[in-house]
Each structure stands twice: as structure tokens, then as C-alpha cells.
Amino acid sequence: MATNTTTVKKANKKKTVAIESTGQAHIKASFNNLIISITNSTGQVISWASSGKMGFRGSKKNTPYAAQLAAADCAKVAVDLGVKKVEVFVKGPGSGRDACIRTLASSGLDILSIKDVTPIPHNGCRPPKSRRV
């Protein structure tokens, strides 16, 4: 005999994030998308946005215009919560990196520093064999 038991999930309490006046803006610009997250000094996310979240699809996600809209949306939420100054960490080779930083600066955030944290292999993995066409 199979008994029908329904499991009721308890509503998880939303974690409260300590919001300080200085934070960090992490920009991940890949070839396909751009993700911006503004965190406090301990790394807890205050606000985030991506060009996919803004409604862009396909190759339009990696344009400077999509990066500009995503950065404006992310910065607006962070400024409303009380973030004033940010350190910017940029990762990846995408095309919207500059537009994103410019938009963060123009939307009311003071940029303290810009750091490129793109991972560079020191002769790590073996590359795939060359394509024969």
C-alpha cells in the first residue's frame, strides 16, 4: 500500500545583508553574457543584474548597450540601499566592460579602484587539438 504524504516546505527566512557605504562591484564579462553584482566588503550580494535579466537574447547580450542597461539597473538598487563608493573587479574578455564601468560611475557611485582579475593560465591545461576544415 502506497501512502500519499505531502511534504510542506517551510518558508525560508531571507538572510539580511549588512549594507555599508563602501562595497565591491564584480563584473563578469564573458563572450555570451555580462553579470554585475555589487557586494559588501565581506562578499554578500546587495544587488545584481545581467544583460540576460534585462531582456536581451543571443548575441545581443554581449553588447556595450546591454552592459550599460544592466549596470544602471544594478547601481540604482545599490544606491537606493545606501552604497556610495565601490571598488570594481573586472573578470573576462567581454565587450561590455568599459561601458559597464562608465555607467556605474555616472549613476552616482564613486569608483575607488578598478582591478582586472581575469584568470590567466600559467601553462595549465593542454589545449584541444587543432581543427581540420
Side-chain angles (χ1 to χ4, degrees), residues 84-124:
K84 293 179 180 70
K85 300 177 183 178
V86 289
E87 298 173 43
V88 179
F89 296 96
V90 186
K91 181 186 279 190
S95 64
R97 298 161 41 127
D98 305 341
C100 186
I101 295 169
R102 252 184 250 115
T103 307
L104 286 176
S106 65
S107 59
L109 290 172
D110 292 333
I111 294 179
L112 301 175
S113 67
I114 301 170
K115 197 175 207 180
D116 193 347
V117 291
T118 306
I120 299 169
H122 299 287
N123 284 351

Side-chain angles (χ1 to χ4, degrees), residues 1-95:
M1 291 190 119
T3 58
N4 286 342
T5 57
T6 57
T7 56
V8 179
K9 280 191 172 183
K10 293 180 182 176
N12 292 337
K13 290 183 183 176
K14 194 170 184 180
K15 293 181 183 175
T16 57
V17 178
I19 297 169
E20 305 154 4
S21 62
T22 59
Q24 299 173 346
H26 296 272
I27 301 167
K28 182 177 182 276
S30 69
F31 288 119
N32 297 322
N33 202 355
L34 187 125
I35 302 169
I36 307 142
S37 54
I38 296 178
T39 65
N40 60 10
S41 59
T42 58
Q44 295 175 310
V45 176
I46 295 169
S47 71
W48 72 277
S50 70
S51 37
K53 181 183 175 185
M54 301 313 294
F56 292 95
R57 289 284 165 248
S59 61
K60 295 184 190 83
K61 285 196 292 189
N62 195 31
T63 58
Y65 179 65
Q68 186 179 347
L69 290 185
D73 181 53
C74 188
K76 180 177 168 284
V77 173
V79 168
D80 290 345
L81 290 173
V83 178
K84 293 179 180 70
K85 300 177 183 178
V86 289
E87 298 173 43
V88 179
F89 296 96
V90 186
K91 181 186 279 190
S95 64

